[in-house]
Amino acid sequence: MTTPAPVHTSKKEEAMKNLLPPTAMSRRGFLALTGAVTLTASVSACAVGGGNASASGGSTVKFWDMPWGDKNYSDAAQSLAQAYKPGDGMPGVSYQQVNWDGFNQTFSSAIASNTGPAVSTGGGFQAFQFAKQGAISYADNLIDSFKKDGTYDDFLPHTLDAMKTSDGYVGIPWNLDVQVFWYRKSILDQIGATPPQSWDDVLDVAKKASAKGYVGFGISGGSGNYGPMAVLSLMINNGGGLFNSNGDLDIVNDRNAEAVDFLTELVRQGVVDPGSVSMKDDDLTTLWTNKKVALGFQSPAFNNVVGDEKDVLVTDPLKSHRGEVGGLYYVNNIMMYKNTPSQAGSEAFTSYYIKNMKTLWQKGVMQGLPALKSITELPEFKANAQNTAVVEKWQPICKTTAAQSSALTAKLATIDGGQAMTDFCQTVLAGKTPSKTILTKLESDIKAAIS
């Protein structure tokens, strides 16, 4: 195993570079991003007013969106927004793209000064954060309309529930980031292995691949969020997680310790790259692209990211040592704000966007899974067979960062992508500290962060 090879310009890698955001953390991490970035600097220069910006003569509904896919995403999303035709008396819409760098500061500053959006995409827990601050307009009326017209039944299982709080729905699910287990078929063929079905299989296959000079188990603990997500995926896989069913922190337990012990064993067996503690997410992706990694957790459509649709494939959900199955996923959502020229206008546009967003997957510009079942049945989506495997095998058994609770809260914005999870992952990858000691420190750090 070696450190990441130099990046050589190739069609595949150019395509990979163009995928935004560069790390999974960027899609969901919220408070972890540091550095003061002004609103002007964080808003994409390509942001322009929508085609209906002056429709109906009133103020417009400002829709802020993030870069969710490849280099063609922003044009496709802008076209979708501009195709919105408001009804009589309803405001038009303007589209503006916000960069991931400093997006927390961008939204916070704009909302504090009443210059923010009326509708937006954003970090996975952003809606909960701003709901706590009183800035979110709950989506219950829109949900009720979805129940009447049948759209409600089109959402994938549990996705709408993830948006529900005691005060109402903070947002509408639109795309999902499922952490699934990938393998490179050509490496497994070379070492005479079959796709792993269990943790024992993972160790066995990874050892064989490592013996041939490959990275047996790919994970990155440096900048980004791939590493913490992989560790948390294994904890949930084993029936553990960060919380108990009542929503209280419950980190120091046997299930989590077994997951940490498993990962520590992978490190001790030498199947994890020695540089993983500080490896950046982008460098791990480069290793995959250069055909150096046999196994590892990644997001949906990762085979498209590395340009190997036929060789980088999804396994079935893994069985832990306890025989449990499970995984981690994130429900990215569209949220509405109280600062709007028309709440009815915000709801009308959000409804339109949800019901017409299939075009983003038809154009192939999205990496995440759609939240609507009807889109997963489109031929364009099924053209990548791994997409179907993720929808059918992984999404139904996955839980959110709140596991083993089902309630998402604002404090998850602090935890996800935060320093406590990064330190935790790096300590695990160092392979020298007992699991209960590591978990005790994680629980203490998270308590301090959310207090």
Side-chain angles (χ1 to χ4, degrees):
M1 294 172 289
T2 61
T3 54
V7 177
H8 301 290
T9 302
S10 69
K11 185 175 181 180
K12 293 176 182 177
E13 288 164 345
E14 285 301 318
M16 181 188 71
K17 288 178 184 177
N18 288 326
L19 282 168
L20 294 173
T23 69
M25 184 277 294
S26 299
R27 286 191 295 273
R28 299 172 298 277
F30 190 57
L31 297 181
L33 295 174
T34 58
V37 181
T38 65
L39 172 62
T40 300
S42 294
V43 174
S44 171
C46 70
V48 297
N52 300 307
S54 60
S56 302
S59 299
T60 60
V61 169
K62 292 195 290 185
F63 176 48
W64 285 14
D65 192 21
M66 318 299 294
W68 290 99
D70 67 16
K71 62 181 180 181
N72 297 314
Y73 169 81
S74 96
D75 286 344
Q78 183 176 321
S79 295
L80 173 58
Q82 289 181 319
Y84 171 62
K85 305 293 184 186
D88 291 342
M90 290 287 187
V93 64
S94 63
Y95 178 88
Q96 189 158 303
Q97 190 163 104
V98 179
N99 297 330
W100 282 108
D101 284 348
F103 80 100
N104 175 24
Q105 289 83 3
T106 302
F107 276 94
S108 295
S109 298
I111 289 170
S113 60
N114 287 325
T115 58
V119 180
S120 83
T121 63
F125 306 116
Q126 179 173 321
F128 299 90
Q129 179 84 3
F130 287 127
K132 186 178 180 180
Q133 296 176 14
I136 289 293
S137 181
Y138 290 94
D140 293 49
N141 287 338
L142 189 51
I143 295 292
D144 287 341
S145 73
F146 285 166
K147 289 179 179 177
K148 293 175 182 176
D149 66 19
T151 303
Y152 184 92
D153 296 327
D154 196 18
F155 284 89
L156 288 168
H158 314 304
T159 55
L160 279 169
D161 293 340
M163 296 293 100
K164 192 173 184 179
T165 71
S166 59
D167 294 318
Y169 291 89
V170 298
I172 305 293
W174 80 285
N175 85 74
L176 313 176
D177 184 2
V178 182
Q179 290 299 293
V180 293
F181 205 68
W182 295 85
Y183 69 97
R184 185 172 281 281
K185 183 177 183 299
S186 57
I187 294 179
L188 269 58
D189 288 346
Q190 181 184 348
I191 63 177
T194 56
Q197 301 290 315
S198 67
W199 287 6
D200 287 336
D201 292 344
V202 170
L203 178 58
D204 181 59
V205 173
K207 287 170 66 176
K208 291 179 179 177
S210 179
K212 293 291 186 181
Y214 297 106
V215 176
F217 183 89
I219 185 170
S220 51
S223 65
N225 204 30
Y226 285 178
M229 290 192 298
V231 184
L232 185 54
S233 293
L234 289 170
M235 290 161 59
I236 296 174
N237 185 174
N238 200 38
L242 301 178
F243 299 89
N244 61 25
S245 58
N246 295 321
D248 301 318
L249 277 179
D250 181 19
I251 295 175
V252 188
N253 58 59
D254 289 343
R255 291 178 183 271
N256 288 341
E258 289 163 8
V260 171
D261 287 340
F262 170 63
L263 189 48
T264 300
E265 180 65 14
L266 293 176
V267 173
R268 290 175 177 168
Q269 291 291 334
V271 303
V272 175
D273 191 296
S276 291
V277 173
S278 58
M279 184 182 292
K280 298 178 181 178
D281 289 348
D282 290 349
D283 291 335
L284 177 60
T285 303
T286 299
L287 282 176
W288 273 97
T289 304
N290 291 340
K291 306 181 189 302
K292 299 292 186 182
V293 183
L295 306 170
F297 285 99
Q298 289 288 346
S299 298
F302 184 63
N303 55 343
N304 286 338
V305 173
V306 297
D308 272 328
E309 286 194 14
K310 304 296 183 183
D311 195 34
V312 177
L313 308 175
V314 173
T315 71
D316 290 343
L318 302 172
K319 287 187 178 180
S320 71
H321 290 332
R322 287 176 180 255
E324 302 269 9
V325 294
L328 172 67
Y329 83 139
Y330 296 80
V331 182
N332 296 309
N333 53 89
I334 296 177
M335 61 208 86
M336 299 180 288
Y337 300 83
K338 290 181 178 178
N339 182 28
T340 177
S342 165
Q343 179 56 30
S346 290
E347 293 179 3
F349 171 71
T350 303
S351 177
Y352 157 82
Y353 202 84
I354 291 290
K355 293 175 181 176
N356 292 278
M357 65 183 182
K358 64 181 180 182
T359 185
L360 301 177
W361 280 270
Q362 288 175 316
K363 292 180 178 178
V365 299
M366 286 292 298
Q367 184 179 1
L369 296 183
L372 297 182
K373 289 181 284 189
S374 57
I375 299 177
T376 69
E377 295 166 357
L378 293 173
E380 295 92 342
F381 182 82
K382 290 184 173 181
N384 183 345
Q386 305 314 300
N387 285 342
T388 301
V390 175
V391 170
E392 294 181 351
K393 297 178 179 179
W394 281 87
Q395 192 273 332
I397 56 92
C398 280
K399 297 181 179 180
T400 69
T401 307
Q404 293 293 317
S405 169
S406 59
L408 299 182
T409 64
K411 59 189 174 187
L412 294 175
T414 303
I415 296 172
D416 184 55
Q419 192 60 45
M421 290 299 295
T422 299
D423 292 346
F424 165 62
C425 177
Q426 290 179 336
T427 305
V428 173
L429 292 178
K432 299 178 180 178
T433 308
S435 55
K436 288 291 182 69
T437 301
I438 302 174
L439 292 167
T440 298
K441 184 177 186 305
L442 174 63
E443 185 162 300
S444 175
D445 289 348
I446 288 180
K447 280 182 179 177
I450 64 178
S451 62

